[in-house]
Amino acid sequence: MKTIDELLAEGVAGKRVFVRADLNVPLSGDTITDDGRIRAVQPTIAKLAEAGARVVVASHLGRPKGAPDPAFSLAPAAKRLGELLGADVAFATDTVGASAKSTVAALADGQVAVIENLRFNAGETSKDDAERGAFADQLAELADIYVGDGFGAVHRKHASVFDLPARLPHAAGYLIATEVGVLKKLTADVKRPYVVVLGGAKVSDKLAVIDQLLGKADRILIGGGMAYTFLYAKGYEVGISLLQKDQVEKVKEYMARAEKLGVELVLPVDILASADFPDLKTKAPAVFETVDADKIPADKEGLDIGPKTRELYASKIADAETVFWNGPVGVFEHPDYAGGTSAIAQALVDSSAFTVVGGGDSAAAVRTLGFDENAFGHISTGGGASLEYLEGKTLPGLAALEV
């Protein structure tokens, strides 16, 4: 995989460099609530601009239906990128149309432009190779060189991620190089004890990674909505908690495998349970009770791990040499149910291990709860991409850069 430093050594002054970034940031109206992904790609963009490249930044945001939708415009991200770069960033109001072409044509050496949301064009995500390729052909007309740096999208076989690199000389940006380097530390020559913390809503989203980690991790700590399928598989009452009954037999199989392999699979011992899901807008005080994990009332749902579980999980992390965490362990968006996720984050901060926060909601939780990002070994920008890498899958965006 060619590096950006190798690309810079060859010279990029005066050349149009297409940077496939991941600017898929959470928005509240036009306000960015977490700019972590923009900050993560900024070093690559800044370095190219400093070298005299005419930088064309492209990304997706959200899940528009292949047509323009103002709610998913990249305009706020372009504005924030300009603030971080300390320079004006031009913005094209389409992807490959008149605005994109004129905006790119007007760039001088060292200037940066952002084109509109790639998913406003159906060709970006099409499963039809010809349609996707046709869109990639149009994108290729905007550039001379391709730099892949949108790690959060490398697990997608999309036009700008997979097809476009085949049409242009290409290299990996700093972010992708860093992410891949970190993931190799989680899959090859891992320092032990190796502890994995998995949370999030659905156990089905994590089954494949659990399957792989059962042969690699020393301990797997389970939390979040997915924990209730594990508790149900043990024969516990889980009330109205999130439950995937169709996954119970698979979960039982994994628990048996963990025991056979000597992998410590740790489940919550107590839960914060409530009859009502909290109001995440008003953050009104919640009404809940703390119950043992095998005594969740039939009319209540678990919304966070309890204080005993927080202490237990912290103790299981304390002596680790490597920790990977993906997924909050409670409804952290509400202050009454943020304690569990905060406790996991604090345990990572207190640990002397190499700690990796695996993107997505976990990364947002760390920042929302006020933790110093520098206190962690690495905060990934791609939750789904990280998990698929750990599952041993070939990621289309990485494969395209290696050709």
Side-chain angles (χ1 to χ4, degrees), residues 20-24 37 58-60 118-119 124 146 149-162 175-176 381-386 388 395-398:
R20 201 333 179 159
D22 180 8
L23 308 180
N24 185 28
R37 285 176 169 163
S59 176
H60 70 287
L118 291 164
R119 291 185 183 175
E124 169 67 0
Y146 176 94
D149 215 27
F151 181 74
V154 294
H155 58 314
R156 306 296 188 191
K157 193 176 181 181
H158 291 170
S160 66
V161 176
F162 178 75
L175 175 60
I176 279 185
T381 58
S386 296
E388 291 197 16
L395 306 187
L398 296 184

Side-chain angles (χ1 to χ4, degrees), residues 122-189:
E124 169 67 0
T125 59
S126 176
K127 296 188 184 305
D128 182 85
D129 291 349
E131 184 180 10
R132 215 175 51 246
F135 183 49
D137 287 339
Q138 291 179 293
L139 291 172
E141 293 176 5
L142 299 175
D144 306 302
I145 299 169
Y146 176 94
V147 171
D149 215 27
F151 181 74
V154 294
H155 58 314
R156 306 296 188 191
K157 193 176 181 181
H158 291 170
S160 66
V161 176
F162 178 75
D163 302 272
L164 185 55
R167 288 157 168 79
L168 295 169
H170 50 267
Y174 292 123
L175 175 60
I176 279 185
T178 298
E179 294 273 14
V180 171
V182 166
L183 288 168
K184 285 181 178 177
K185 290 184 179 181
L186 300 178
T187 53
D189 194 26

Side-chain angles (χ1 to χ4, degrees), residues 194-203 205-214 217 219-228 230 254 263 265-268 305 313 317 323-330 341 344 348 356 358 362 383 386-387 390-391:
Y194 178 17
V195 178
V196 176
V197 185
L198 295 177
K202 295 182 178 180
V203 69
D205 292 341
K206 305 289 168 65
L207 284 178
V209 76
I210 293 172
D211 184 45
Q212 288 293 316
L213 290 170
L214 281 174
R219 298 176 198 136
I220 302 176
L221 317 182
I222 304 293
M226 64 182 287
Y228 303 102
F230 280 85
Y254 283 1
V263 176
L265 188 62
V266 190
L267 301 179
I305 58 173
Y313 284 12
I317 291 168
V323 183
F324 173 70
W325 171 31
N326 182 281
V329 296
T341 300
I344 297 296
L348 265 67
V356 179
S362 310
S386 296
L387 288 177
L390 294 180
E391 289 167 20

Side-chain angles (χ1 to χ4, degrees), residues 33-34 39 325 332 338 341-343 345-346 349 361-376 379:
T33 57
D34 180 1
R39 288 186 285 109
W325 171 31
F332 76 91
T341 300
S342 183
Q346 188 63 54
V349 170
D361 288 340
S362 310
V366 163
R367 288 187 276 262
T368 299
L369 296 174
F371 286 89
D372 180 359
E373 294 180 49
N374 295 320
F376 302 89
I379 298 180

